[in-house]
Amino acid sequence: FSKKTRPHTRPCKCCNDTATLYDVCDFNKSCEDRNGLNLPVSGIPIYYYRCNHCGFIFTADLDELSEEEFAQHIYNDEYAIVDPDYEQARPSANAGMLTQMFGAQLNTLNMLDYGGGNGMLANLLESSGVEQAVSYDPFHEGQQNRPEENFDIVTSFEVVEHTPDPIATFEEMISFMHTDNSVLFFSTLVQPNEI
């Protein structure tokens, strides 16, 4: 991880307006702190910026990590400790939501879960009758084979906010869609007003 000094401002990753240095936290801070998981302090500061125009909060401190560094420091065997819903609960909830939204029509469509982690969402949908459900995740071992075909539905749950270049990520997701009649369905958490 880089120990270099961070600039006070930088371009926003979403709208390219000015983002101002907003906060810093330790690399080992996770969302599970609220549930009592307190990892030891790593001593690695991660600096965050907040866009003055669109409000997007982001870091650039992880942008230059290699795939090997991501595998070592982030998406490793202990990842589920800091994101326990990742393995089963979130994919199951998303499969239920998609089934409820699209109904029986979902079984006639092919879909790609972009950034699908362990592939659980695609597996659940295929086992429930979806014609073709594929998972692709450039950072997850076993899910890194880039599909060649186009899809009726491209989903991406809690992915875009983690990427170094959200615009390029959207462009890649769109590249998997048919030119007509495809749907991109994504979600990302938003920060509370009192942050």
Side-chain angles (χ1 to χ4, degrees), residues 36 45 54 97 113 127 132 185-187:
C54 71
M97 176 185 57
D113 186 27
S127 68
Q132 179 189 19
F185 189 83
F186 80 98
S187 68

Side-chain angles (χ1 to χ4, degrees), residues 111-114 132 134-137 143-151 172 175-176:
M111 68 155 285
L112 169 69
D113 186 27
Y114 182 94
Q132 179 189 19
V134 175
S135 179
Y136 169 61
D137 192 325
Q143 303 295 320
Q144 296 170 316
N145 293 330
R146 190 179 198 284
E148 297 296 323
E149 66 268 34
N150 290 336
F151 297 87
E172 184 174 33
S175 77
F176 290 112

Side-chain angles (χ1 to χ4, degrees), residues 126-173:
E126 275 204 334
S127 68
S128 71
V130 172
E131 185 175 300
Q132 179 189 19
V134 175
S135 179
Y136 169 61
D137 192 325
F139 292 104
H140 196 284
E141 189 174 335
Q143 303 295 320
Q144 296 170 316
N145 293 330
R146 190 179 198 284
E148 297 296 323
E149 66 268 34
N150 290 336
F151 297 87
D152 300 313
I153 302 173
V154 176
T155 61
S156 184
F157 295 102
E158 316 311 325
V159 172
V160 176
E161 70 273 19
H162 298 282
T163 64
D165 186 344
I167 302 301
T169 301
F170 277 116
E171 289 171 352
E172 184 174 33
M173 285 189 279

Side-chain angles (χ1 to χ4, degrees), residues 65-131:
L65 292 183
S66 67
E67 285 185 30
E68 293 78 20
E69 289 170 317
F70 264 104
Q72 178 184 0
H73 299 291
I74 299 174
Y75 299 120
N76 53 39
D77 292 340
E78 297 179 346
Y79 180 74
I81 293 171
V82 297
D83 188 2
D85 293 343
Y86 157 80
E87 290 182 333
Q88 184 72 39
R90 189 178 309 119
S92 295
N94 290 337
M97 176 185 57
L98 289 168
T99 302
Q100 184 177 9
M101 286 179 60
F102 292 97
Q105 185 180 6
L106 188 61
N107 294 342
T108 66
L109 304 171
N110 67 347
M111 68 155 285
L112 169 69
D113 186 27
Y114 182 94
N118 60 9
M120 181 60 70
L121 174 59
N123 292 340
L124 290 169
L125 290 172
E126 275 204 334
S127 68
S128 71
V130 172
E131 185 175 300

Side-chain angles (χ1 to χ4, degrees), residues 6-28:
R6 278 59 167 200
H8 182 69
T9 62
R10 68 182 319 125
C12 175
K13 290 181 175 187
C14 287
C15 72
N16 210 36
D17 208 310
T18 302
T20 307
L21 197 57
Y22 184 66
D23 205 350
V24 63
C25 69
D26 187 76
F27 177 75
N28 275 353

